[in-house]
């Protein structure tokens, strides 16, 4: 399922899985917070997802 012209859902999930294991990076922390069950504010989650998509596109 394409998210953007250059990024599909499988690629995003794959990159997020890799980034979640990076202990000292901003994107690693962002993935872990995004996946945290304590985070239930939809506006913050949408902003985090947008940043993660942007980061994933830049890595492409």
């Amino acid at each position: 399922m394409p998210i953007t012209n250059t990024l599909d859902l499988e690629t995003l999930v794959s990159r997020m899985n890799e980034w979640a294991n990076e202990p000292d990076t901003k994107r690693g922390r962002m993935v872990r917070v995004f996946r945290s069950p304590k985070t239930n504010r939809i506006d913050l989650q949408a902003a985090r997802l947008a940043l993660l998509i942007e980061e994933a596109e830049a890595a492409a």
Side-chain angles (χ1 to χ4, degrees), residues 4-29:
T4 66
N5 290 337
T6 59
L7 184 68
D8 61 18
L9 184 58
E10 288 181 18
T11 304
L12 176 62
V13 170
S14 173
R15 289 188 180 145
M16 286 176 64
N17 287 336
E18 292 172 15
W19 297 340
N21 296 323
E22 297 175 353
D24 298 327
T25 64
K26 180 180 177 181
R27 63 188 184 189
R29 287 188 300 273

Side-chain angles (χ1 to χ4, degrees), residues 30 34 44-57:
M30 198 169 358
F34 180 75
L44 293 177
Q45 288 295 76
R48 287 183 187 106
L49 183 57
L51 289 171
L52 288 166
I53 289 170
E54 185 178 310
E55 182 72 25
E57 282 187 314

